[in-house]
């Protein structure tokens, strides 16, 4: 978490950095800061958002500062406060640093530094790192680049850092391990950021640092890359950025979340375009085609993910087992990595992650690789760490998702997963060609069906108005609709701060039913064809305890409708695709409730889009 931005060149640094930080606020937004250097260099930092930083920094747009480092924070060590905000300065005030990540051994380093006369103004691990760098620079009489390298070899943890030393005013030192860092290459100017969005209007050439890489970026001498662990000079891999400015702006919507909900028809089309070749009776996902033997012969699949991506993994479990008859286990990445999981050579481990940077998921696939598994990554962010670490993979092509609540990332993950399930079933001879074709064709119709569901917006707003003051919600579903219920509940709690639980509908009798009374709204996803009468019975059980029922049903439903207080009809579709379609009204319900409660839907409290800490 945390976003960092840096600039060195001939332009005014302040507006570039502030605009860049606003684009990175999805990574954390509890405090912000900036160090400027040039004619009127200064450090400003504050608790709050980048807009608060602008208020305290005043107008620096023509101050003659052509170098700067900025930071937007998601607190790890130390509460959100002015003194814990970055940039952090060393004891002499000559070195400043912005950092995304965690220095795990900061306490022992702090002790050594304290014994050597250093004192600390903040509670952060980052202030320890900047003072360690200074201590090494002064005690070993080395330049800042070398001091950073020596310090990083003493550090345990994860970092993307940018460091500036007043004694070397023409350069910035950057380094990466575990947290992302991109360098934008302009003409006689360089940009540094946690992703490429802060500099896309200035250059389309970028270098994504790999783990254990560092660079010394100099205004006049260009930049030099090195390995942090050896002194080896490295040749940079320059890539062209595929991001456009309009894709990362709100395009007339009030919030990114709403824009992203409405982008789903296009995003899903982008996921299956060129891959779902129903006319040719095949699906071409190159990450699978290049490893056909692995997918044909694997004896089991383990899926690792967190949050919404974990819910997508649950849908994959149902689908892969059904279509490809292969045993699947879905694991929270954070639990998987700290167990001693049984992974055998030939097993496939699939990591699902929108950002491709989630620390636990990344660590889980590293562990899986060590144990001999074949790792397949399903990511949205191109070039992200998980995408690079995996043996193979496929991008969802959802486009940038800025709202912290995952929406189009989830439905595009499900689209990709559906194609994977069909292709695996075909490869392993476990799906009939009729079913392959039927589900494949329905997938191509989803964008149009989602357009139809989006038209229920005003009905959903009415429902939201009625329940906006509820303190608890239950979400229920059976089969494929169980993960959809979990996802609906997560969406509501993370942006509206209403407590919500997702349950398999039949499991309710084993405890949660005790919670049900007239004050409990229950959202039931009741589209099941196979076990329709079972879900009807579950709805009846809830009704007889006086709960308010909001039902998502298939067009043509008769029984559930009669029992429900509110009904949202979605078009009829094969069961495995319902989670995609049913997610849309659930996203809108959460969105409207959160707005009516005055919540910041794009930047909910305590959260960040990209969770790069454990
Ligand atoms: O980037 P990832 O998909 O790995 O992120 C995983 C979770 O942090 C993420 O899905 C989170 O649960 C969302 N905020 C939910 O909307």
């Amino acid at each position: 978490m945390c976003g960092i931005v840096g600039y060195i060149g001939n332009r005014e640094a302040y507006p570039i950095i502030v605009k860049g930080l606003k684009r990175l606020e999805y990574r954390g937004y509890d405090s912000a800061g900036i160090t400027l250097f040039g004619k009127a260099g200064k450090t400003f930092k504050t608790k709050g958002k980048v807009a608060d930083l602008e208020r305290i920094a005043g107008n620096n747009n023509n101050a003659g500062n052509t170098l700067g480092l900025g930071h937007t924070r998601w607190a790890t060590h130390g509460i959100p406060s002015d003194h814990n905000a970055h940039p952090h300065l060393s004891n002499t005030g000559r070195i400043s640093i912005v950092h995304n990540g965690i220095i795990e051994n900061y306490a022992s380093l702090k002790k050594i530094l304290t014994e050597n006369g250093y004192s600390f103004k903040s509670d952060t691990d980052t202030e320890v790192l900047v003072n360690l760098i200074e201590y090494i620079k002064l005690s070993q009489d080395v330049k800042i680049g070398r001091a950073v390298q020596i310090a990083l070899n003493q550090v345990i943890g994860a970092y993307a850092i940018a460091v500036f030393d007043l004694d070397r005013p023409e350069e910035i030192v950057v380094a990466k391990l575990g947290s992302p860092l991109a360098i934008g290459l302009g003409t006689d100017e360089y940009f540094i950021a946690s992703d490429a969005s802060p500099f896309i209007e200035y250059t389309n050439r970028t270098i994504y640092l790999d783990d254990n890489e560092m660079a010394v970026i100099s205004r006049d001498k260009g930049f030099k890359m090195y390995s942090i662990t050896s002194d080896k000079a490295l040749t940079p891999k320059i890539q062209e950025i595929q991001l456009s400015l309009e894709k990362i702006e709100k395009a007339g919507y009030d919030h990114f979340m709403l824009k992203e909900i409405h982008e789903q028809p296009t995003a899903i089309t982008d996921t299956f375009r060129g891959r779902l070749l129903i006319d040719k009776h095949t699906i071409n996902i190159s990450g699978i085609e290049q490893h056909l033997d692995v997918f044909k012969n694997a004896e089991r699949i383990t899926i690792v993910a967190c949050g919404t991506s974990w819910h997508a993994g649950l849908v994959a479990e149902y689908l892969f087992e059904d279509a490809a008859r292969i045993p699947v286990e879905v694991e929270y990445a954070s639990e998987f990595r700290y167990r001693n999981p049984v992974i055998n050579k030939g097993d496939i481990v699939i990591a699902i992650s929108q950002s491709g940077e989630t620390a636990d998921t990344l660590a889980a696939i590293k562990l899986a690789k060590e144990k001999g598994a074949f790792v397949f990554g399903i990511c949205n962010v191109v070039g992200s760490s998980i995408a690079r670490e995996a043996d193979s993979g496929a991008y969802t092509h959802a486009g940038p998702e800025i709202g912290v609540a995952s929406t189009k990332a989830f439905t595009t993950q499900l689209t990709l997963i559906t194609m994977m399930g069909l292709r695996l079933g075909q490869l392993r001879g476990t799906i009939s060609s009729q079913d392959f074709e039927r589900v494949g064709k329905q997938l191509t119709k989803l964008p149009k069906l989602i357009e139809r569901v989006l038209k229920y917006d005003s009905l959903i707003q009415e429902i939201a108005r009625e329940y906006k003051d509820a303190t608890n919600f239950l979400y229920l579903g059976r089969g494929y609709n169980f993960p959809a219920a979990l996802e609906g509940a997560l969406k509501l709690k993370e942006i509206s701060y209403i407590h919500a639980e997702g349950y398999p509908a039949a499991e309710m009798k084993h405890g949660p039913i005790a919670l049900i009374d007239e004050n409990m709204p229950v959202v039931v996803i009741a589209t099941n064809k196979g076990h329709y009468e079972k879900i009807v019975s579950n709805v009846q059980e809830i009704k007889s305890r006086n709960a308010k029922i909001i039902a998502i049903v298939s067009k043509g439903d008769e029984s559930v409708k009669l029992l429900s207080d509110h009904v949202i009809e979605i078009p009829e579709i094969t069961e495995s695709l319902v989670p995609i379609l049913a997610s849309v009204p659930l996203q809108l319900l959460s969105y409207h409730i959160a707005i009516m409660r005055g919540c910041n839907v794009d930047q909910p409290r305590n959260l960040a889009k990209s969770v790069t800490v454990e």
Side-chain angles (χ1 to χ4, degrees):
M1 344 269 262
C2 304
I4 65 179
V5 182
Y7 175 77
I8 179 166
N10 303 310
R11 300 183 213 223
E12 197 66 58
Y14 179 79
I16 295 173
I17 292 177
V18 164
K19 206 194 303 162
L21 288 177
K22 286 186 176 165
R23 291 197 189 141
L24 292 184
E25 273 190 314
Y26 73 89
R27 304 182 63 84
Y29 36 79
D30 58 42
S31 48
I34 190 165
T35 286
L36 298 166
F37 179 77
K39 282 199 187 125
K42 211 175 166 189
T43 295
F44 304 95
K45 47 195 213 167
T46 182
K47 179 180 172 188
K49 302 209 159 128
V50 179
D52 299 301
L53 172 66
E54 278 182 293
R55 265 192 290 282
I56 64 147
N59 187 351
N60 287 279
N61 288 342
N62 299 300
N65 297 312
T66 52
L67 184 152
L69 301 179
H71 189 270
T72 177
R73 178 171 187 246
W74 185 86
T76 57
H77 294 69
I79 56 163
S81 66
D82 294 356
H83 66 274
N84 284 336
H86 298 217
H88 286 285
L89 302 184
S90 62
N91 272 198
T92 64
R94 300 196 67 75
I95 304 178
S96 45
I97 189 171
V98 287
H99 168 217
N100 165 209
I102 287 187
I103 306 303
E104 288 176 2
N105 58 337
Y106 82 102
S108 54
L109 294 170
K110 191 171 185 174
K111 188 163 174 278
I112 298 168
L113 289 166
T114 310
E115 285 161 8
N116 282 279
Y118 277 81
S119 61
F120 298 87
K121 297 193 176 89
S122 78
D123 313 311
T124 65
D125 50 343
T126 307
E127 197 189 5
V128 174
L129 178 58
V130 71
N131 281 307
L132 176 66
I133 293 168
E134 177 166 280
Y135 174 63
I136 290 166
K137 182 189 147 193
L138 299 178
S139 60
Q140 301 192 22
D141 193 19
V142 288
K143 288 185 194 150
I144 186 69
R146 182 75 181 132
V148 168
Q149 186 187 26
I150 297 170
L152 293 179
N153 278 293
Q154 298 180 16
V155 148
I156 300 168
Y159 49 79
I161 53 169
V163 182
F164 171 64
D165 178 7
L166 280 173
D167 294 336
R168 306 279 297 174
E170 298 302 316
E171 66 189 37
I172 295 176
V173 180
V174 296
K176 167 193 156 45
L177 177 67
S179 303
L181 194 75
I183 303 170
L185 311 175
T187 314
D188 298 331
E189 61 182 349
Y190 298 92
F191 306 83
I192 297 149
S194 301
D195 71 31
S197 63
F199 53 78
I200 45 176
E201 62 261 61
Y202 309 108
T203 178
N204 66 350
R205 295 167 69 231
T206 188
I207 297 163
Y208 293 101
L209 287 196
D210 276 328
D211 279 351
N212 283 314
E213 289 183 353
M214 63 179 288
V216 177
I217 305 170
S218 153
R219 196 193 306 268
D220 36 18
K221 295 193 208 117
F223 70 93
K224 292 200 173 105
M225 271 177 65
Y226 306 92
S227 156
I228 296 171
T229 46
S230 69
D231 279 332
K232 214 172 106 200
L234 302 169
T235 313
K237 286 175 263 162
I238 300 174
Q239 301 184 24
E240 204 169 303
I241 307 169
Q242 303 292 342
L243 206 61
S244 74
L245 202 50
E246 86 194 13
K247 282 201 171 158
I248 58 165
E249 290 181 340
K250 283 189 200 149
Y253 286 93
D254 288 342
H255 301 96
F256 281 112
M257 181 180 177
L258 190 61
K259 173 185 173 230
E260 287 153 9
I261 290 173
H262 282 267
E263 278 175 347
Q264 290 176 107
T266 319
I268 286 174
T269 310
D270 290 343
T271 308
F272 66 64
R273 182 184 290 122
R275 289 167 164 168
L276 183 58
L277 308 169
I278 289 299
D279 296 350
K280 296 190 178 136
H281 200 72
T282 192
I283 286 168
N284 189 339
I285 297 169
S286 54
I288 294 183
E289 299 310 304
Q290 285 157 12
H291 302 277
L292 284 181
D293 284 349
V294 178
F295 284 94
K296 257 189 213 162
N297 301 325
E299 285 178 13
R300 63 181 187 134
I301 293 177
T302 302
I303 297 176
V304 289
C306 303
T308 290
S309 297
W310 184 80
H311 298 154
L314 285 183
V315 176
E317 176 179 25
Y318 286 55
L319 188 79
F320 293 177
E321 292 198 342
D322 188 21
R325 307 304 303 141
I326 181 164
V328 179
E329 274 176 60
V330 190
E331 304 256 9
Y332 285 116
S334 53
E335 289 299 316
F336 176 88
R337 61 179 291 201
Y338 288 114
R339 288 199 287 109
N340 184 11
V342 179
I343 296 286
N344 302 317
K345 232 181 158 44
D347 280 0
I348 298 176
V349 171
I350 299 179
I352 308 178
S353 173
Q354 186 287 130
S355 61
E357 300 295 346
T358 300
D360 283 319
T361 312
L362 188 56
I365 64 171
K366 286 184 177 160
L367 175 68
K369 272 174 89 174
E370 272 165 37
K371 289 181 175 280
F374 175 85
V375 173
F376 188 90
I378 297 180
C379 298
N380 185 37
V381 177
V382 175
S384 53
S385 302
I386 293 173
R388 282 182 283 150
E389 186 72 29
D391 295 305
S392 179
Y395 287 114
T396 49
H397 298 311
E401 191 180 68
I402 314 266
V404 163
S406 191
T407 52
K408 62 176 181 170
F410 179 61
T411 49
T412 53
Q413 283 167 350
L414 297 187
T415 303
L416 187 60
I417 279 163
T418 306
M419 290 191 290
M420 288 178 71
L422 294 177
R423 181 65 181 127
L424 295 194
Q426 188 182 50
L427 274 176
R428 299 166 75 98
T430 48
I431 188 167
S432 70
S433 55
Q434 291 90 326
D435 279 349
F436 181 92
E437 202 155 303
R438 180 179 57 80
V439 180
K441 276 192 179 146
Q442 292 202 20
L443 200 51
T444 62
K445 296 200 174 117
L446 266 177
K448 284 246 147 33
L449 301 183
I450 291 178
E451 301 278 10
R452 274 164 54 190
V453 176
L454 285 168
K455 296 206 171 103
Y456 293 140
D457 192 54
S458 45
L459 163 70
I460 296 167
Q461 275 193 54
E462 275 170 39
I463 304 175
R465 195 158 292 114
E466 197 163 332
Y467 297 104
K468 69 177 185 357
D469 297 320
T471 45
N472 293 288
F473 260 76
L474 267 183
Y475 284 70
L476 304 176
R478 297 181 80 107
Y480 284 102
N481 293 342
F482 161 52
L486 290 176
E487 175 59 11
L490 176 60
K491 233 41 349 148
L492 185 71
K493 62 187 145 194
E494 75 178 319
I495 60 167
S496 74
Y497 319 141
I498 296 176
H499 171 244
E501 294 288 337
Y503 264 95
E507 190 62 22
M508 198 190 49
K509 296 188 281 298
H510 301 284
I513 199 163
L515 294 168
I516 292 184
D517 62 16
E518 65 285 359
N519 297 317
M520 174 71 89
V522 182
V523 178
V524 192
I525 309 160
T527 57
N528 307 58
K529 289 187 198 72
H531 311 284
Y532 182 70
E533 60 296 339
K534 302 266 183 237
I535 193 91
V536 175
S537 311
N538 296 143
V539 177
Q540 249 151 0
E541 288 152 14
I542 308 163
K543 182 77 190 165
S544 43
R545 269 112 191 139
N546 295 325
K548 295 282 183 251
I549 299 173
I550 303 160
I552 297 186
V553 299
S554 291
K555 208 160 180 61
D557 171 275
E558 282 172 2
S559 312
V560 176
K561 244 181 183 171
L562 296 176
L563 297 166
S564 307
D565 298 272
H566 308 272
V567 175
I568 302 168
E569 269 190 346
I570 60 171
E572 166 103 45
I573 197 149
T574 193
E575 278 194 41
S576 62
L577 295 180
V578 171
I580 301 182
L581 218 45
S583 286
V584 178
L586 298 182
Q587 295 161 354
L588 286 170
L589 182 66
S590 307
Y591 172 80
H592 288 303
I593 290 180
I595 294 291
M596 288 170 194
R597 290 166 68 93
C599 301
N600 182 341
V601 292
D602 284 337
Q603 296 178 342
R605 68 183 180 206
N606 304 338
L607 286 170
K609 185 74 184 160
S610 185
V611 185
T612 54
V613 295
E614 293 179 24

